[in-house]
Amino acid sequence: MSGFFNRASVVALALVAGCHPGPVAVAAGPLRVGGAILEPVDLATLPGFPGPDPVASLDAFRRTCAAPPVEIASTVAGSAEDLAAACSRAASVEPQEAGAFFTRNFDAYRIVRPGEAGGPPRRTGFLTGYFEPELTGALVAGPGFTTPALARPDDLVSLAPGETKPGLDPALRAARATGTGFEPYPDRASIEAGGIGERARPLLYLRDPVDLFVLQVQGSGRVRLPDGRAVRVLYDGRNGRPYTSVAKLIVQAGHLPLEGLTLARWTGWLRAHPALAKPLMQSNASYIFFRLAEVEDPSLGPPGAAGTPLTPGRSLAVDSALWRYGTPFWLEGRIAGEDAPGRLVVAADTGSAIVGPARGDLYLGTGEAAGIAAGNLRDAVGFVVLLPKPRMAPVP
């Protein structure tokens, strides 16, 4: 989920969590994840670790620890028990010990990927940003509010990682339940043309199709109603079709340059060219359904795929086929131009475009300013994963 090159929180996951890897690692060789090698590194040698505010990272870790267990794919390596033990120890840590907690309870590994065509190994990954948009809308259709955000249809069946249904393309991540079995769920164009009939149940109405598209790309958002009240519109499933970046299509077609491409710029272009905008948006076959919720804590974001509220600047979306929610990462580099040489974050979400061991999407908050920051965050950074020490290992 970066600001505009991914997104849709999906509940899934996986990870390597501990010093004793699972079946995908070779006992006599280096630890490997997703084609990358994990090189041991001393946390004390990481410039700036654990960052200027380790308490914020500890709070994000505790918050993710509080999430209920999520079903794990059987092929995932690592030990959930080791991470759970670290979570238990985190509960009693005093604020002044926040940095020491991570040093004592985790082993660090720099993620190093093979070089291309025999070249040198790559020690940097790619970091983008995403945010929670704040839109205007109404609970009933009316002038200025004509585009519905739809509730999850009752015939939509979401598929867990690795799960398939007879007769379906294994690449599809959802299906439509019928009286005789399963079939692909309609794509965006079909749904917008009335392809799910009476199952299209509006939750509320937004200003236009572009606002809906932004909401779907980000996966959730806040909507300000005419009476001033804000409600949260949360991800509640997708049609399982592949995601296509419309911003990228706009650039490829020569409508806008990649340099300086922001959320405001490409959405403004869509609104200014409605005849071109509709087929472009329908090129993204993926379609997101929602549910409504109250905004309980305005300082926190919506629940990520881990099931707990996202923390601005600390919650990271990762490849859910590789990493377990709750796993800390040290991002090596000056994030979004900040002076600090790195940032300690926690895996708490995922996204359809977040693929690979050194790929992350950083949640940056709610509203316009967060959207601008997310759109500008496209940085090459180093990824260091912190895997919990085995439960039986002594903790200094």
Side-chain angles (χ1 to χ4, degrees), residues 31-232:
L31 183 61
R32 296 176 181 269
V33 174
I37 295 174
L38 301 190
E39 290 186 348
V41 58
D42 186 347
L43 283 171
T45 68
L46 296 176
F49 185 87
D53 189 8
V55 174
S57 301
L58 179 61
D59 286 344
F61 180 73
R62 286 170 168 161
R63 193 169 289 115
T64 309
C65 284
V70 184
E71 183 179 352
I72 305 295
S74 61
T75 56
V76 172
S79 168
E81 289 77 10
D82 291 344
L83 186 58
C87 282
S88 295
R89 290 191 286 268
S92 59
V93 175
E94 297 293 333
Q96 65 272 19
E97 293 294 316
F101 165 78
F102 290 100
T103 302
R104 293 170 180 167
N105 290 278
F106 294 86
D107 291 319
Y109 299 85
R110 182 173 284 112
I111 300 172
V112 180
R113 296 168 295 157
E116 296 180 358
R122 294 174 290 167
R123 295 174 179 271
T124 57
F126 188 52
L127 181 70
T128 51
Y130 69 106
F131 75 111
E132 180 186 37
E134 186 167 66
L135 308 170
T136 57
L139 296 178
V140 296
F145 300 112
T146 57
T147 301
L150 301 182
R152 181 188 178 103
D154 59 10
D155 62 346
L156 176 64
V157 177
S158 299
L159 304 181
E163 182 183 4
T164 60
K165 293 295 183 183
L168 285 184
D169 183 339
L172 295 177
R173 305 312 320 138
R176 187 181 212 174
T178 70
T180 57
F182 300 93
E183 63 184 31
Y185 212 83
D187 62 13
R188 175 179 296 274
S190 177
I191 292 172
E192 291 180 349
I196 61 174
E198 295 181 354
R199 288 186 166 90
R201 296 181 294 111
L203 290 171
L204 49 71
Y205 293 84
L206 301 173
R207 291 186 305 166
D208 57 31
V210 177
D211 270 2
L212 175 64
F213 196 80
V214 170
L215 183 67
Q216 292 182 319
V217 168
Q218 298 302 322
S220 62
R222 296 185 199 182
V223 174
R224 187 72 58 180
L225 301 176
D227 63 3
R229 183 167 57 100
V231 295
R232 192 159 253 151

Side-chain angles (χ1 to χ4, degrees), residues 7 10 17 39 95 106 108 156 165 180 210 214 218 224 230 251 265 278 303-304 323 334 353 359 372 389:
R7 201 24 159 215
V10 291
E39 290 186 348
F106 294 86
L156 176 64
K165 293 295 183 183
T180 57
V210 177
V214 170
Q218 298 302 322
R224 187 72 58 180
V251 171
R265 191 171 185 191
K278 183 173 182 178
W323 305 115
R334 301 189 184 280
R359 177 71 174 93
I372 293 172
K389 294 181 178 181

